[in-house]
Amino acid sequence: MSEKLKIGVFKFTGCAGCQMEFLRMENEFLDLLKLFDITYWKMVKRENNDDEIDIAFIEGGISTPREIEEIKNIRKKTKIIIAFGDCAIKGCIPSIRNWIPQMESEDLVYPDPSTICSTKMLGIGEYIKVDEELKGCPPHRENIIELIKSAVLKIKPRLRKHPVCVECKFLDNACLITSKNMACMGPVISAGCGAICPTLGRVCEGCFGPMSNPNASALADIFKSIGLNDADIKRKFRKYAGMSPEFRLEAGH
Amino acid sequence: MTTEKLIKVDYIARVEGQGAININIDKNGKIEKLQFKIFEPPRFFESFLIGRKYDEIMELTSRICGICPVAHQITALRAVENALGIEPTDQTKDLRKLMAISAHIQSNVLSMYFLSLPDLMGYESAIAMTKDNLDIVKRGLELKKLGNDITEIIGGRSVHPVTMLVDGFSSLPSKNKLQTIKKRLVNAKKDADLTVDLFANVEIPDFVRKCEHATISDPKNYAINEGRFKSSEGLDIDEMNYREHVYEKQKPYSTALHSYLKNRDSFMVGPLPRVNINFGQLSADAKNATKRSGVKFPNYNPFVSHLARAIELVHDIDESIEIIDRLKFKDEQRTITCKSGFGAAITEAPRGSLYHSYILDNNGVVKKADIVPPTAHNAYNIEKDMNNFVQTIIDEPLDSITLKCELLVRAYDPCISCSAH
């Protein structure tokens, strides 16, 4: 291998949980550092350089004019941009506020909203070209490693596009919808977490966002037959990925 | 008056979130302007939580913070339970405490070893430290992993865990796994002691400001999830009455609101106030470690916060073992009846007191939400500390003043995303 890859980790509007999942690689972290240099990571380093970056992990969505400028700047200096987690992909939980008039939100939180300049909470893909997505709130560290390994080997990463249901089948979990009439989002949600919630006795809430080509309206019909009302169904889809085209109809306008 | 010295950090490194420092000093050495400027974009949780259901609040507010999701989850759950008049079982309380402590271990180790220690040892980051101090970095990673692994075994994953529900758990951890964890906890005691020794011996600025310290407190145990909100100046209130005493004001340069006590002033929350006020409830070994450190408590040097975290680490390990030993793992039924009402809760997140309150309607739908994270409590106090601190180092070179101001901010281990939720 010639030169080490330069990696940058950047935070926008979000909770730092994706960076924490990056740091969760306690076992692998020191070995990984042999494969690449981390040249920019504010939460971890005092000396940072973002002049030229091979892979940028972007955590967080875009919600201020300053962030729009900044994400465009990073795009110019970076070869591969990763939307790192649901906030960077489609705005995740904070995007729930996009259904509320911005003035109303600002008035509620701040005595003087005139100094606040927030826009809607959107994924970075609204403003720049994104090369790869790491789904999840947070993404699973195994997928982060898969992506970094692929980048080093210059091959396409194998990230899951099938639903959580496949992972449940592998684990021999009884289906929560058919066996217990519970409103599980699994059939329309991307796998990658290892079906954590259904394995631990609760429904999938959808934190990995839509799978490839999901049938959201069919699942909404099933929820209705289980006894959920329209408001319940809206809340289900207007959560981690309400802004995604796949869920937009069920999330309501 | 012309500005003589400009201390400017546009984006403070090695803290969670986006904050800056701006200080102008005039030619007479007087501070003209001092701002701990939080420019983290707000996410308006208190707005979009309205209309959501009581059983989602834990899951949604978890996303306020990726470092302390467990604290937000437990605070939200307890506030909802207080609104619905639910008293969880002892087993639920024990498991929650174990979860909270595991998150404290993880977060406090992260703060000590990876965010602050590099400064105190003269490196730009823990990554740079691996060259000469690999054993220390490895010890930090190992301790952090222990905390995270406990969270994951009980909660399903370490960042935004999933098993804690209103009035119980969706699934209980396996006895065997917790026994394995217990062995690791016993072994980690040595590393915790080494951590205390490390932070008792690193050089910190000699700076004292006697401000009001506050924490929740309980005579029976070291309060993390439940207790009365008390201060070093005699405040002693029930969590439900928090808003009668703690107010917030907005500064035009900060997206985090600044908290203050009614008719009083700023106050500090976090590991130092906890050790100061709840010293009597620490484990015997934690008390011994304190004695060994030679540092006296109560202590009003904010830089002693690091040592307080290390002392808490010893206690956290002891209490975790105690809880694992008394857990019975009974399957329990959750009983929830929706009704309208107000509920509030204060817990101790790793970086200090965290407040949530909710008004629910008859169907359990949120009508009003109010959240004050630790760093919103601390932001104003950080400025007041910095104001006094800068005056003691005003003759030092600009680089040194700048680094020391950053050091002060990092001693608070601010969670800036939280503060501008």
Side-chain angles (χ1 to χ4, degrees):
Chain A
M1 225 171 304
S2 50
E3 221 177 294
K4 276 177 147 184
L5 285 173
K6 291 197 188 95
I7 287 190
V9 182
F10 298 85
K11 179 180 184 291
F12 286 81
T13 305
C15 78
C18 300
Q19 298 182 67
M20 291 303 288
E21 188 67 15
F22 206 107
L23 280 171
R24 184 71 174 97
M25 301 189 281
E26 296 102 349
N27 291 340
E28 300 87 2
F29 196 70
L30 294 174
D31 285 335
L32 284 171
L33 287 177
K34 293 174 190 155
L35 295 177
F36 53 76
D37 285 322
I38 298 178
T39 54
Y40 189 99
W41 193 356
K42 269 285 175 185
M43 195 170 86
V44 172
K45 291 158 63 66
R46 192 166 185 256
E47 287 162 21
N48 292 289
N49 180 350
D50 62 353
D51 289 346
E52 213 179 279
I53 300 234
D54 291 309
I55 309 175
F57 286 84
I58 309 292
E59 182 202 70
I62 305 297
S63 78
T64 63
R66 187 185 61 80
E67 287 188 326
I68 299 174
E69 290 311 307
E70 221 162 285
I71 194 66
K72 286 181 176 170
N73 266 331
I74 294 172
R75 175 72 270 185
K76 281 181 210 151
K77 298 186 268 192
T78 305
K79 288 191 190 127
I80 300 171
I81 295 250
I82 314 290
F84 185 28
D86 289 354
C87 281
I89 295 172
K90 281 285 179 278
C92 197
I93 299 279
S95 75
I96 299 173
R97 81 156 190 268
N98 293 354
W99 278 265
I100 304 163
Q102 184 57 28
M103 272 300 284
E104 206 177 303
S105 291
E106 291 181 7
D107 276 340
L108 202 74
V109 176
Y110 292 101
D112 173 17
S114 69
T115 57
I116 304 299
C117 44
S118 289
T119 59
K120 275 190 181 350
M121 170 76 174
L122 299 172
I124 59 172
E126 294 288 331
Y127 301 101
I128 57 162
K129 178 176 161 280
V130 175
D131 300 296
E132 192 54 87
E133 290 178 350
L134 272 176
K135 292 177 178 218
C137 178
H140 196 286
R141 54 190 175 275
E142 277 173 19
N143 297 335
I144 304 175
I145 293 176
E146 166 69 20
L147 192 129
I148 293 173
K149 278 200 300 200
S150 309
V152 172
L153 297 169
K154 297 198 164 71
I155 56 172
K156 200 172 162 48
R158 282 184 298 179
L159 300 170
R160 293 167 183 81
K161 304 231 183 283
H162 52 255
V164 174
C165 300
V166 175
E167 292 183 323
C168 266
K169 291 288 167 288
F170 278 137
L171 291 160
D172 251 343
N173 289 340
C175 176
L176 294 173
I177 298 178
T178 56
S179 72
K180 290 190 175 164
N181 273 339
M182 286 163 82
C184 181
M185 289 286 283
V188 294
I189 296 299
S190 182
C193 62
I196 297 175
C197 290
T199 309
L200 293 172
R202 59 177 291 181
V203 295
C204 168
E205 298 287 357
C207 76
F208 269 59
M211 62 180 280
S212 150
N213 204 15
N215 191 344
S217 68
L219 187 65
D221 287 344
I222 292 173
F223 285 172
K224 208 173 259 179
S225 69
I226 290 174
L228 270 65
N229 62 31
D230 287 347
D232 291 333
I233 293 170
K234 249 183 211 164
R235 276 193 285 263
K236 284 261 176 202
F237 285 92
R238 194 185 292 181
K239 200 185 266 190
Y240 295 94
M243 296 298 286
S244 66
E246 292 93 330
F247 292 170
R248 201 57 208 269
L249 201 62
E250 286 67 29
H253 295 287
Chain B
M1 197 65 73
T2 48
T3 299
E4 184 75 6
K5 270 186 189 164
L6 253 181
I7 294 149
K8 208 164 157 17
V9 184
D10 290 334
Y11 190 166
I12 308 170
R14 277 195 269 106
V15 296
E16 191 289 321
Q18 309 176 47
I21 299 170
N22 285 325
I23 307 173
N24 298 356
I25 300 167
D26 72 17
K27 60 176 184 300
N28 299 321
K30 275 231 163 61
I31 296 169
E32 284 180 332
K33 181 180 104 173
L34 185 146
Q35 296 175 341
F36 172 45
K37 181 182 162 192
I38 288 176
F39 61 94
E40 178 84 27
R43 287 165 294 163
F44 304 97
F45 269 81
E46 283 136 328
S47 165
F48 70 72
L49 283 171
I50 294 171
R52 306 297 301 203
K53 272 202 132 150
Y54 76 95
D55 57 356
E56 300 178 293
I57 303 174
M58 156 277 184
E59 178 195 348
L60 298 174
T61 55
S62 179
R63 271 69 188 184
I64 290 176
C65 182
I67 303 188
C68 43
V70 175
H72 281 284
Q73 293 186 356
I74 294 175
T75 318
L77 289 171
R78 284 200 48 248
V80 167
E81 285 161 358
N82 283 342
L84 298 177
I86 294 169
E87 176 75 14
T89 62
D90 286 346
Q91 173 171 291
T92 295
K93 286 182 182 177
D94 270 347
L95 267 174
R96 280 184 189 167
K97 183 104 191 244
L98 195 52
M99 277 289 273
I101 292 175
S102 70
H104 273 239
I105 295 175
Q106 171 269 127
S107 176
N108 283 341
V109 169
L110 181 77
S111 164
M112 287 187 283
Y113 278 87
F114 300 96
L115 306 185
S116 276
L117 191 59
D119 295 319
L120 303 169
M121 295 186 65
Y123 295 88
E124 70 91 23
S125 70
I127 298 171
M129 269 173 61
T130 54
K131 230 174 112 195
D132 314 313
N133 294 287
L134 188 60
D135 53 328
I136 295 182
V137 177
K138 277 191 173 163
R139 192 204 301 152
L141 280 171
E142 209 44 56
L143 284 166
K144 177 181 166 300
K145 184 171 155 56
L146 174 64
N148 275 332
D149 285 352
I150 300 174
T151 314
E152 190 166 309
I153 283 169
I154 309 170
R157 66 180 167 196
S158 61
V159 181
H160 306 316
V162 300
T163 55
M164 292 197 286
L165 305 174
V166 176
D167 197 29
F169 279 75
S170 72
S171 143
L172 297 178
S174 90
K175 235 183 197 163
N176 285 345
K177 278 190 180 161
L178 279 185
Q179 283 306 321
T180 322
I181 280 293
K182 187 185 156 184
K183 277 186 206 137
R184 284 175 59 193
L185 282 161
V186 171
N187 291 333
K189 275 298 284 286
K190 198 172 78 249
D191 284 348
D193 278 334
L194 287 171
T195 307
V196 173
D197 297 343
L198 179 66
F199 284 90
N201 291 310
V202 288
E203 200 186 323
I204 53 165
D206 181 19
F207 165 71
V208 171
R209 190 176 79 88
K210 181 94 174 47
C211 57
E212 184 158 6
H213 281 200
T215 173
I216 60 165
S217 185
D218 179 345
K220 290 193 288 297
N221 61 68
Y222 196 72
I224 297 293
N225 287 344
E226 225 172 325
R228 286 180 70 81
F229 192 51
K230 287 188 183 176
S231 86
S232 55
E233 305 294 321
L235 184 79
D236 183 354
I237 58 169
D238 186 274
E239 56 196 0
M240 295 288 267
N241 305 326
Y242 169 90
R243 271 300 181 205
E244 290 166 24
H245 302 271
V246 184
Y247 290 28
E248 285 173 306
K249 62 184 165 199
Q250 188 184 351
K251 294 280 171 77
Y253 52 83
S254 173
T255 51
L257 298 173
H258 283 194
S259 294
Y260 64 99
L261 283 164
K262 186 185 164 192
N263 298 331
R264 280 136 95 155
D265 205 2
S266 74
F267 59 101
M268 179 182 190
V269 298
L272 186 60
R274 283 199 294 266
V275 171
N276 278 345
I277 294 172
N278 296 329
F279 190 85
Q281 283 74 38
L282 283 170
S283 72
D285 284 351
K287 283 179 185 157
N288 288 337
T290 313
K291 205 177 278 173
R292 208 175 59 239
S293 76
V295 177
K296 292 270 176 293
F297 291 87
N299 195 300
Y300 291 90
N301 178 349
F303 296 97
V304 175
S305 296
H306 301 305
L307 180 64
R309 283 182 192 99
I311 293 167
E312 282 195 330
L313 177 62
V314 177
H315 171 89
D316 288 343
I317 292 175
D318 288 338
E319 191 174 350
S320 300
I321 295 170
E322 234 181 85
I323 294 173
I324 292 174
D325 282 344
R326 70 166 176 256
L327 274 172
K328 298 273 193 299
F329 302 99
K330 260 199 343 258
D331 272 328
E332 294 175 330
Q333 213 58 39
R334 302 192 300 131
T335 38
I336 300 159
T337 324
C338 278
K339 59 170 189 177
S340 62
F342 165 84
I346 307 176
T347 70
E348 287 294 317
R351 41 197 58 67
S353 313
L354 164 63
Y355 172 80
H356 281 218
S357 80
Y358 303 98
I359 295 175
L360 303 177
D361 73 6
N362 276 326
N363 301 314
V365 174
V366 177
K367 290 285 148 203
K368 188 175 188 296
D370 185 6
I371 298 165
V372 188
T375 302
H377 282 139
N378 275 333
Y380 181 29
N381 205 60
I382 292 175
E383 279 190 352
K384 297 201 81 171
D385 269 2
M386 200 179 287
N387 190 67
N388 284 24
F389 181 51
V390 167
Q391 287 168 32
T392 66
I393 53 171
I394 209 145
D395 298 325
E396 294 185 14
L398 205 59
D399 276 359
S400 165
I401 304 179
T402 308
L403 177 63
K404 283 184 176 169
C405 284
E406 287 183 50
L407 236 76
L408 174 68
V409 172
R410 288 196 273 271
Y412 275 82
D413 187 23
C415 192
I416 292 175
S417 296
C418 268
S419 73
H421 57 286

